[in-house]
Amino acid sequence: MDRKMTADAAPALGDVRQMGHGDTLWVAQGARERADWSRYADAIGAAVSRGAEVRWSR
């Protein structure tokens, strides 16, 4: 499943943590400016460890 994260909107943290093989999280420019970025960075790490891909988009 593909999910998208922007500066204004993001999937639930739990949904990101549960992503795994075959899933892709698209991270738009500006997403790192979110106040909750550090929590998402942790969730992204968990998703990657489960086999998810993370891609940066413009």
Side-chain angles (χ1 to χ4, degrees):
M1 175 178 281
D2 284 3
R3 297 189 183 268
K4 185 175 182 181
M5 181 177 184
T6 66
D8 300 329
L13 280 165
D15 290 347
V16 175
R17 280 192 182 90
Q18 292 302 314
M19 293 176 78
H21 182 72
D23 296 329
T24 303
L25 177 65
W26 291 91
V27 182
Q29 285 184 335
R32 292 189 306 174
E33 305 305 318
R34 295 176 59 92
D36 56 358
W37 172 251
S38 62
R39 295 176 69 198
Y40 274 97
D42 181 61
I44 290 168
V48 169
S49 73
R50 295 168 55 90
E53 292 186 43
V54 178
R55 307 259 182 184
W56 293 94
S57 64
R58 295 180 192 200

